[in-house]
Amino acid sequence: MSNSSSVWEVRNLPILGPLWRQIEAAPKPVPEDSILLRVMVQALVIVGIIAVDVAAGVATDELPLTFWAAPLSIIGAIWSWYNRYKRNVPAKFCLAIGMLLALAAFLSRLVGELNDTRLVLAELLIQLQVLHSFDLPRRKDLGYSMVIGLILLGVAGTISQTLTYGPILLLFIVLAIPCLILDYRSRLGLQSRFSGNKSKFPKQKQRHKLSLLNAISPKRLTTLLLVTLGLGMAIFAFLPRLPGYQLRTFPVSSPINFDVENFDGRTITNPGYIGRGRENGDGSGNGNGTNQESGPGTLDTTYYYGFNTKINQNLRGQLKPQVVMRVRSQAEGFWRVLAFDKYTGEGWEISRNDKTFTFNRSSFSYQFYVNLPRNNYYKNERKEVIQSYTVVSQLPNLIPALYNAREVYFPTEKIAIDPDGNLRSPLELREGLTYTVISDVPYRNRTILGEAGTNYPESISQYYLQIPPEIVEKVRQKTEEILANQNKVAKDSKPINSPYEKALYLAQYLKQNLNYKLQKTPPFLAEDEDLVSAFLFGYQNSPEGEKITGGYGDHFSTVLTIMLRSIGIPARLVGGYSPGEFNPFTGLYVVKNTDAYMMTEVYFPGYGWFAFNPIPGMPLIPPSIEKGFGNQTSTLMVFWKWVAGWLPSPVTGFLERFIGGIFRWILGIIGWFFALFSQGWQGIFGGLILATALSFLGWLLYIFWRKWRYSRWLGRLSPMESIYQQMLSLMASKGLVKRGFQTPFEYTKVIREQGTGNREQGEIVEEISRAYVGWRYGNKEVNLTRLKSLLGSLKGKRGFLPRIRG
């Protein structure tokens, strides 16, 4: 009595009453009874949750979402199954309250994660899916869950930077294919073998079982999986890489709370140098590295020695390979870190380190504008290139970026820049840090740079022509001797006069000259011995009776820089990372500490700085932006480079020449054809006539191919079967097609009824058909000679040839 009275009271409330009556009047939802479909959908959702956890593993130290979301989602699905025939009104109100709480938690967390909201949105979606799993009576509710699983997988794909995402994606596809099949069968009203309802019609249920087993048989699912993967890989390979970011919101780490009030940008913190470490982020403490700034010593095996205000090239040793960062970039390039202007005889240093200045960003944005006044005077065309960097292991407080950086999106309140354009952070680049740089990379044109001239500004000549006086004369003589010998040898060619051609030739000379070898461990420099002099003329500490020249790869760049300076060409040493190994599946460049090296940058008036690499075994010109097809590369081309890296050089060279020649020939013909339409009316009509002729030729080739294919098919048949099939083809060409449901005798009867005007033709068809039936079903011998004669007579009727049907 009390329950009915309380319900009556609720029904008469002004607001809840109408809502209550409306819910009661609504028709009950038609539930989805397929247990197998529900299980597959739940598996898809769990895989999506796991994908988000795996992709965000580096970015967060919180409890993985899978630990609580997957069990709760399973519990909700089970509860929903047992209550699928009920209205569950109280549960729906509780779910609505839970969704509001999830929304409130999302908004509160969103305030602190405005820089990258992907993970926050994914977590909200997972929370809503967990609540949604308690209300899955209908098939379309399961469809919503499938879509949520797909969205979660997509979010994970945008976050993931490793191949661990690949197996999860494959698992999702493996589950999605049977899930879609079951969903389609459910839409057709076909029951699942694993259904909760018992059918009243056993025969019908048996047919449904057989149909289900056939639909999700391992053979069929494997075929669909291979076709899906093949199409997906083909689309991925041919999909072009977009030339620009479509949205101007870039990946940046969460804000780093660090005291930057005393940050002046003049200190470089490289843990590889003795006394250059940082403890607790306060600038105190000593590093545990082995690099020292002067004198012979041992290289640190983890941190590259070249990232410091002063570097010592009298250190010996090797780095142990270690991934330091992953880069997503619109174009590959040299991830530039640091440049040096003063040569010390034993290494390099930054002479104007005290002129480093800092600049702040807005408190509402992560964007820093790097507006160097001199960049506005360069007249060469530039290309915007966006790069996003994720640090994998700790690096010095130097910010790698393509030259020239225009905008930097960085999570600290301040950054610094020195006169050479080197970007610096207030603290070391720590594991998990993400930032983005937009660079205006100048186009490299050999012809234009060769005409740049030698009118150098005083600000350039003052700092980038410095050489120790004790070596300047002998280095100049050696450099001029090399250039003079080349001009004598190449009498018929154009002499080397421009600074660009001199830099190019000297880099090539050092790279290929057998006198200067890439040494595994060159001797230490003697006291007061100059590195360039030892490289060119021999180390004083060479073994007795032996003269060792050459050195480490970075020594080649030092020598080229000083040789150029000796003949009046401004140059500086620049350090950074090569592009690294491109992963075509993630779209990221994987950069290791062993990818760090030094190059020579040469100044060209009006155009800026351009790099040359004299190190043997590396490209003479580092990755550059050049006019032409090379910039609009597709993932297919990058994928080919990745594959070519595993092939022997002769095989790679042959394939590149062969495939490249075919593509150039095809592109040349296509270009010539479309050029016809730009040559007036004559060109347009000529192009149309040519297109028509080519179409006709294509049609003829298709007909001949069909006939060849048909003849090969007949050749694989037995003689009797071949005669019978030819007869059917001849009759089909007259419009008398044998249907699949007709027996040979039924077909013969139709021929006789419709062929009253040609009785002999009907008799031939009947005789051949009777012989075929006796041969096939009665194992009777046939007179092939007579049957061939009859077939020839049939072909001769009215002079027609067999028409091949599709």
Side-chain angles (χ1 to χ4, degrees), residues 337-349:
V337 177
L338 203 59
F340 301 89
D341 60 346
K342 184 178 180 181
Y343 175 62
T344 63
E346 191 181 37
W348 292 82
E349 66 179 340

PDB file of all heavy atoms in Angstrom, residues 337-349:
ATOM      1  N   VAL A 337      72.083  22.563 -32.797  1.00  0.00           N
ATOM      2  CA  VAL A 337      72.105  22.785 -31.350  1.00  0.00           C
ATOM      3  C   VAL A 337      72.975  23.978 -30.975  1.00  0.00           C
ATOM      4  O   VAL A 337      72.550  24.858 -30.229  1.00  0.00           O
ATOM      5  CB  VAL A 337      72.593  21.522 -30.610  1.00  0.00           C
ATOM      6  CG1 VAL A 337      72.682  21.769 -29.108  1.00  0.00           C
ATOM      7  CG2 VAL A 337      71.657  20.352 -30.884  1.00  0.00           C
ATOM      8  N   LEU A 338      74.219  24.033 -31.489  1.00  0.00           N
ATOM      9  CA  LEU A 338      75.185  25.013 -30.987  1.00  0.00           C
ATOM     10  C   LEU A 338      76.172  25.382 -32.089  1.00  0.00           C
ATOM     11  O   LEU A 338      76.532  24.544 -32.917  1.00  0.00           O
ATOM     12  CB  LEU A 338      75.936  24.407 -29.792  1.00  0.00           C
ATOM     13  CG  LEU A 338      76.592  25.353 -28.789  1.00  0.00           C
ATOM     14  CD1 LEU A 338      75.563  26.278 -28.164  1.00  0.00           C
ATOM     15  CD2 LEU A 338      77.295  24.549 -27.701  1.00  0.00           C
ATOM     16  N   ALA A 339      76.614  26.655 -32.098  1.00  0.00           N
ATOM     17  CA  ALA A 339      77.628  27.119 -33.051  1.00  0.00           C
ATOM     18  C   ALA A 339      78.760  27.798 -32.290  1.00  0.00           C
ATOM     19  O   ALA A 339      78.544  28.419 -31.238  1.00  0.00           O
ATOM     20  CB  ALA A 339      77.018  28.081 -34.064  1.00  0.00           C
ATOM     21  N   PHE A 340      79.985  27.689 -32.825  1.00  0.00           N
ATOM     22  CA  PHE A 340      81.175  28.248 -32.186  1.00  0.00           C
ATOM     23  C   PHE A 340      81.876  29.189 -33.160  1.00  0.00           C
ATOM     24  O   PHE A 340      81.918  28.932 -34.364  1.00  0.00           O
ATOM     25  CB  PHE A 340      82.140  27.132 -31.776  1.00  0.00           C
ATOM     26  CG  PHE A 340      81.551  26.131 -30.825  1.00  0.00           C
ATOM     27  CD1 PHE A 340      80.881  25.002 -31.300  1.00  0.00           C
ATOM     28  CD2 PHE A 340      81.642  26.311 -29.458  1.00  0.00           C
ATOM     29  CE1 PHE A 340      80.341  24.079 -30.431  1.00  0.00           C
ATOM     30  CE2 PHE A 340      81.091  25.398 -28.576  1.00  0.00           C
ATOM     31  CZ  PHE A 340      80.443  24.279 -29.062  1.00  0.00           C
ATOM     32  N   ASP A 341      82.448  30.243 -32.615  1.00  0.00           N
ATOM     33  CA  ASP A 341      83.120  31.220 -33.478  1.00  0.00           C
ATOM     34  C   ASP A 341      84.616  31.347 -33.204  1.00  0.00           C
ATOM     35  O   ASP A 341      85.360  31.816 -34.054  1.00  0.00           O
ATOM     36  CB  ASP A 341      82.462  32.600 -33.335  1.00  0.00           C
ATOM     37  CG  ASP A 341      82.522  33.135 -31.917  1.00  0.00           C
ATOM     38  OD1 ASP A 341      82.816  32.352 -30.986  1.00  0.00           O
ATOM     39  OD2 ASP A 341      82.265  34.343 -31.722  1.00  0.00           O
ATOM     40  N   LYS A 342      85.101  30.918 -32.037  1.00  0.00           N
ATOM     41  CA  LYS A 342      86.510  31.124 -31.683  1.00  0.00           C
ATOM     42  C   LYS A 342      87.237  29.790 -31.598  1.00  0.00           C
ATOM     43  O   LYS A 342      86.863  28.910 -30.816  1.00  0.00           O
ATOM     44  CB  LYS A 342      86.622  31.865 -30.355  1.00  0.00           C
ATOM     45  CG  LYS A 342      88.067  32.190 -29.969  1.00  0.00           C
ATOM     46  CD  LYS A 342      88.148  32.957 -28.673  1.00  0.00           C
ATOM     47  CE  LYS A 342      89.596  33.269 -28.305  1.00  0.00           C
ATOM     48  NZ  LYS A 342      89.687  34.001 -27.036  1.00  0.00           N
ATOM     49  N   TYR A 343      88.309  29.674 -32.407  1.00  0.00           N
ATOM     50  CA  TYR A 343      89.131  28.466 -32.398  1.00  0.00           C
ATOM     51  C   TYR A 343      90.282  28.661 -31.422  1.00  0.00           C
ATOM     52  O   TYR A 343      90.989  29.678 -31.456  1.00  0.00           O
ATOM     53  CB  TYR A 343      89.658  28.203 -33.808  1.00  0.00           C
ATOM     54  CG  TYR A 343      90.615  27.040 -33.914  1.00  0.00           C
ATOM     55  CD1 TYR A 343      90.208  25.750 -33.593  1.00  0.00           C
ATOM     56  CD2 TYR A 343      91.926  27.242 -34.337  1.00  0.00           C
ATOM     57  CE1 TYR A 343      91.085  24.683 -33.690  1.00  0.00           C
ATOM     58  CE2 TYR A 343      92.803  26.184 -34.455  1.00  0.00           C
ATOM     59  CZ  TYR A 343      92.394  24.905 -34.118  1.00  0.00           C
ATOM     60  OH  TYR A 343      93.271  23.850 -34.214  1.00  0.00           O
ATOM     61  N   THR A 344      90.485  27.670 -30.553  1.00  0.00           N
ATOM     62  CA  THR A 344      91.500  27.790 -29.491  1.00  0.00           C
ATOM     63  C   THR A 344      92.765  27.015 -29.788  1.00  0.00           C
ATOM     64  O   THR A 344      93.731  27.100 -29.016  1.00  0.00           O
ATOM     65  CB  THR A 344      90.925  27.280 -28.158  1.00  0.00           C
ATOM     66  OG1 THR A 344      90.614  25.881 -28.285  1.00  0.00           O
ATOM     67  CG2 THR A 344      89.661  28.041 -27.785  1.00  0.00           C
ATOM     68  N   GLY A 345      92.821  26.264 -30.869  1.00  0.00           N
ATOM     69  CA  GLY A 345      93.966  25.418 -31.162  1.00  0.00           C
ATOM     70  C   GLY A 345      93.754  23.994 -30.667  1.00  0.00           C
ATOM     71  O   GLY A 345      94.322  23.047 -31.225  1.00  0.00           O
ATOM     72  N   GLU A 346      92.984  23.836 -29.614  1.00  0.00           N
ATOM     73  CA  GLU A 346      92.669  22.523 -29.050  1.00  0.00           C
ATOM     74  C   GLU A 346      91.175  22.206 -29.170  1.00  0.00           C
ATOM     75  O   GLU A 346      90.758  21.069 -28.997  1.00  0.00           O
ATOM     76  CB  GLU A 346      93.087  22.495 -27.579  1.00  0.00           C
ATOM     77  CG  GLU A 346      93.056  21.130 -26.942  1.00  0.00           C
ATOM     78  CD  GLU A 346      93.454  21.189 -25.484  1.00  0.00           C
ATOM     79  OE1 GLU A 346      93.087  22.164 -24.806  1.00  0.00           O
ATOM     80  OE2 GLU A 346      94.144  20.262 -25.026  1.00  0.00           O
ATOM     81  N   GLY A 347      90.402  23.226 -29.477  1.00  0.00           N
ATOM     82  CA  GLY A 347      88.965  23.069 -29.576  1.00  0.00           C
ATOM     83  C   GLY A 347      88.320  24.386 -29.947  1.00  0.00           C
ATOM     84  O   GLY A 347      88.908  25.210 -30.671  1.00  0.00           O
ATOM     85  N   TRP A 348      87.118  24.620 -29.443  1.00  0.00           N
ATOM     86  CA  TRP A 348      86.352  25.811 -29.784  1.00  0.00           C
ATOM     87  C   TRP A 348      85.673  26.371 -28.547  1.00  0.00           C
ATOM     88  O   TRP A 348      85.458  25.653 -27.563  1.00  0.00           O
ATOM     89  CB  TRP A 348      85.293  25.487 -30.832  1.00  0.00           C
ATOM     90  CG  TRP A 348      85.863  25.135 -32.179  1.00  0.00           C
ATOM     91  CD1 TRP A 348      86.346  23.922 -32.559  1.00  0.00           C
ATOM     92  CD2 TRP A 348      86.012  26.008 -33.298  1.00  0.00           C
ATOM     93  NE1 TRP A 348      86.779  23.967 -33.862  1.00  0.00           N
ATOM     94  CE2 TRP A 348      86.583  25.248 -34.338  1.00  0.00           C
ATOM     95  CE3 TRP A 348      85.713  27.348 -33.542  1.00  0.00           C
ATOM     96  CZ2 TRP A 348      86.861  25.768 -35.596  1.00  0.00           C
ATOM     97  CZ3 TRP A 348      85.983  27.878 -34.787  1.00  0.00           C
ATOM     98  CH2 TRP A 348      86.554  27.108 -35.795  1.00  0.00           C
ATOM     99  N   GLU A 349      85.300  27.654 -28.638  1.00  0.00           N
ATOM    100  CA  GLU A 349      84.498  28.266 -27.587  1.00  0.00           C
ATOM    101  C   GLU A 349      83.618  29.363 -28.185  1.00  0.00           C
ATOM    102  O   GLU A 349      83.843  29.816 -29.306  1.00  0.00           O
ATOM    103  CB  GLU A 349      85.374  28.819 -26.468  1.00  0.00           C
ATOM    104  CG  GLU A 349      86.263  29.975 -26.861  1.00  0.00           C
ATOM    105  CD  GLU A 349      87.077  30.485 -25.681  1.00  0.00           C
ATOM    106  OE1 GLU A 349      86.683  30.200 -24.532  1.00  0.00           O
ATOM    107  OE2 GLU A 349      88.089  31.157 -25.907  1.00  0.00           O
TER     108      GLU A 349
END
